[in-house]
Amino acid sequence: MTGLLEVERLTVRRPGGPPLVREVSFQVARGERLGIVGASGSGKSLTALAIAGLLPDGLTAEGSVRLDGREILDLPEAELARLRGRRIAMVFQEPLTALDPARRIGRQVAEPLAIHGLGTSLERTARAAALLRAVGLPPERASPDSFPHELSGGQRQRVLIAAALAAGPDLLLADEPTTALDLVTQRQILDLLDELVAAKGLALLLVSHDEGVIARMCPHVLVMAGGRIVRAGPAAAPSTAGAVLPPQPPGRADPPALLTASGVSRRYRLPGGATRQAVDGVDLTITPGEAVGLVGSSGSGKSTLVRLLTGLERPDAGVVRLEGRDPAEPAVPRHPVQLVFQDPFDSLDPRWRVGRILAEPLHGLRLDPAERHRRVLAALAEVGLPAEAVGRHPHAFSGGQRQRIAIARALVAHPRLVVLDEPISALDRALQEQVLELLAALRTRHGLAYLLVSHDLDIVRRLCSRVLVMAEGRIVEEGPVGQVLLQPASAAARALLAARLAPPAPSPAPPVAPPKAWDYEP
């Protein structure tokens, strides 16, 4: 295989500060898959951004980045723009910030084709629809006329992947491309990327904190820490061993309900006048101190159900009660239930410093300034962030650090119920362990109840005592975690278990020719 991407002594700096990425060197050949793995803040995402010429303002890169032998690190922005999409494409970690909220998804997928003058308007529209189907978004699930806010987090990530593939790039930089996806969709996307690499010679640089994803996709891996490559070699599947956390804190044998839902339904109107039943007749109960898992494929209705349970939306039918009151009523206090959203960058106000973000849930509690400040510092300490973080803005942190800020904001008001929507999907394995231990300790110490929405069945197994399985807006299976995950009765639960990643058997890479931008038909 001939070299496609050659990186030599790449260094990323902030003026006046130490290097954030230090003399990183590697090569990626056509048809090759290379993984970069490391803890949050290790420099892996900055490495990918530097290659694409997309570093945040104030950061500079030095060294050498060559694409097909051409130096691209110091190219003017206009020349880099001609390479992006056509030669180099990138899938970003946070799709809601990468997609334009005011434009329909079909137009956004077709945009790289229009920018590079590929095809007629009708051909671009047809190709965008075909790519959306290829990444698991047929029109009946997500119309090309939909807007990003009408999709789930996993569906938005698939739109971003479709847009990256649109113009048939030579090199795909994938920064946590499956973080927001359930196991079934995750496997579909990884299989699709496998197909592209094997059949069309697409080179893949995959950045992830998930060692299982890296082992599934990449025969070789670079491990980063402190901005450096500390190990390079064959990828190895991570150990899934881990102690099961205590499933149920001590308490009453039959405690009163903390949260109940009875016959809850929600229907949305789609473009063109059609409707979609997002939640259909759901019943559930959560008791004080209980940890309940909610699992299901992307688009199954999990996120809509969470909004209904927390009062962010009203159901079309049915009743929700939090401590006996309707959480959607303005007079009902908000602090008994707090949320940790899936996308931390979207849920944290970019204009506010972290201290103000964490203090916001406390404003209705009539605390004096000294007590508010004490609670903010205590919440930061509980999630492993230093006190000086209060003076920084969210963009100054890595994706994993921003997720920890979101968790701290949920804890600061001392709630009784915390709804966790993929709370650790952005964290590397070491930080996942720390946060899981923290959540378990807080639950025992304060009698917290959790509703954990996750596509990671191992996390559900470790943190929850009971699990609900959703499919097509309904709860199709419910029971103890051990029973549902070991002996699933529903097709939805069996599909999630069958999709758990296992690294493929190694096979020699086929000889490939340089791909053409318009060749790939999904």
Side-chain angles (χ1 to χ4, degrees):
M1 289 185 285
T2 60
L4 175 67
L5 176 70
E6 298 172 286
V7 177
E8 291 185 6
R9 301 175 70 88
L10 176 65
T11 298
V12 176
R13 302 179 181 275
R14 179 184 294 116
L20 303 175
V21 174
R22 303 166 183 261
E23 298 192 343
V24 166
S25 300
F26 60 87
Q27 295 185 8
V28 185
R30 294 186 184 277
E32 186 179 9
R33 296 165 292 174
L34 177 66
I36 300 182
V37 68
S40 178
S42 62
K44 56 188 187 298
S45 292
L46 283 179
T47 299
L49 290 171
I51 291 169
L54 295 173
L55 284 174
D57 291 341
L59 299 187
T60 59
E62 55 193 59
S64 175
V65 177
R66 294 189 296 275
L67 183 69
D68 264 343
R70 180 190 183 190
E71 181 62 53
I72 65 172
L73 189 61
D74 298 321
L75 284 180
E77 175 58 27
E79 293 190 45
L80 277 172
R82 286 193 284 270
L83 293 177
R84 297 191 197 109
R86 186 66 180 267
R87 299 295 311 280
I88 301 174
M90 188 160 186
V91 178
F92 295 94
Q93 181 175 349
E94 293 159 338
L96 198 59
T97 60
L99 294 172
D100 188 334
R103 300 178 64 206
R104 302 182 190 276
I105 62 172
R107 290 189 61 189
Q108 296 194 60
V109 173
E111 184 178 26
L113 306 174
I115 289 174
H116 295 289
L118 299 174
T120 65
S121 177
L122 288 177
E123 288 173 331
R124 292 194 292 266
T125 299
R127 180 164 171 77
L131 280 163
L132 288 171
R133 285 194 297 271
V135 297
L137 291 177
E140 59 271 19
R141 294 193 64 191
S143 166
D145 291 330
S146 301
F147 290 98
H149 73 269
E150 297 175 315
L151 308 180
S152 69
Q155 290 171 325
R156 288 193 291 264
Q157 188 70 291
R158 283 181 275 172
V159 172
L160 203 59
I161 291 170
L165 300 177
D170 300 316
L171 171 66
L172 182 63
L173 307 174
D175 186 5
E176 304 281 6
T178 59
T179 292
L181 304 183
D182 63 86
L183 292 176
V184 174
T185 307
Q186 184 181 85
R187 187 154 193 163
Q188 292 172 356
I189 295 300
L190 295 180
D191 287 346
L192 175 63
L193 293 176
D194 259 341
E195 173 193 331
L196 289 167
V197 172
K200 297 296 180 182
L202 178 69
L204 175 66
L205 181 64
L206 178 61
V207 177
S208 181
H209 67 263
D210 191 327
E211 297 172 15
V213 168
I214 294 291
R216 164 68 176 80
M217 291 295 297
C218 303
H220 296 93
V221 64
L222 308 176
V223 180
M224 292 191 69
R228 299 180 182 273
I229 295 176
V230 296
R231 183 175 71 82
S239 170
T240 58
V244 177
L245 302 180
Q248 195 73 302
R252 295 171 51 182
D254 188 18
L258 174 63
L259 176 73
T260 62
S262 177
V264 170
S265 298
R266 185 72 167 96
R267 179 182 293 271
Y268 292 111
R269 185 172 298 279
L270 301 177
T275 61
R276 177 174 65 88
Q277 190 74 42
V279 174
D280 188 7
V282 166
D283 300 320
L284 63 83
T285 300
I286 299 176
T287 57
E290 184 182 22
V292 178
L294 179 63
V295 301
S297 62
S298 180
S300 62
K302 303 187 303 294
S303 295
T304 299
L305 179 59
V306 164
R307 291 195 294 271
L308 297 173
L309 295 177
T310 54
L312 295 179
E313 291 188 22
R314 287 186 179 275
D316 298 326
V319 176
V320 177
R321 290 290 180 264
L322 175 65
E323 297 184 320
R325 304 175 70 180
D326 184 350
E329 289 292 336
V332 175
R334 294 288 179 178
H335 66 271
V337 58
Q338 295 291 319
L339 292 93
V340 178
F341 294 96
Q342 180 175 343
D343 189 335
F345 198 76
D346 181 59
S347 65
L348 302 177
D349 192 324
R351 302 166 299 176
W352 289 7
R353 299 182 190 275
V354 167
R356 183 179 177 185
I357 290 172
L358 266 60
E360 184 184 18
L362 303 175
H363 288 167
L365 301 183
R366 298 180 180 178
L367 303 175
D368 62 65
E371 176 62 14
R372 283 201 302 268
H373 187 64
R374 187 197 67 78
R375 285 208 191 183
V376 166
L377 295 183
L380 283 172
E382 284 188 314
V383 298
L385 291 174
E388 58 91 14
V390 297
R392 298 162 64 187
H393 290 90
H395 72 263
F397 297 88
S398 69
Q401 290 169 327
R402 286 194 291 266
Q403 191 69 298
R404 284 185 279 164
I405 293 169
I407 294 172
R409 181 178 60 181
L411 300 176
V412 74
H414 299 172
R416 299 194 65 198
L417 170 65
V418 179
V419 179
L420 305 157
D421 187 358
E422 301 285 1
I424 58 177
S425 61
L427 305 183
D428 59 81
R429 288 287 175 181
L431 289 176
Q432 285 185 356
E433 292 295 325
Q434 294 173 18
V435 173
L436 283 174
E437 295 290 346
L438 170 64
L439 292 173
L442 289 169
R443 180 172 163 231
T444 301
R445 188 182 313 142
H446 302 297
L448 288 174
Y450 293 144
L451 176 61
L452 172 65
V453 182
S454 180
H455 65 258
D456 191 324
L457 300 184
D458 287 327
I459 292 172
V460 172
R461 173 184 63 83
R462 295 186 58 191
L463 192 61
C464 300
S465 57
R466 187 161 57 93
V467 63
L468 313 173
V469 182
M470 281 197 80
E472 298 180 352
R474 294 177 174 270
I475 303 293
V476 296
E477 186 170 358
E478 176 181 358
V481 166
Q483 173 185 316
V484 174
L485 298 188
L486 292 177
Q487 297 178 317
S490 64
R494 290 194 295 270
L496 288 171
L497 288 166
R500 299 170 81 172
L501 294 178
S507 57
V512 294
K516 296 181 180 179
W518 203 253
D519 274 355
Y520 175 66
E521 290 298 336

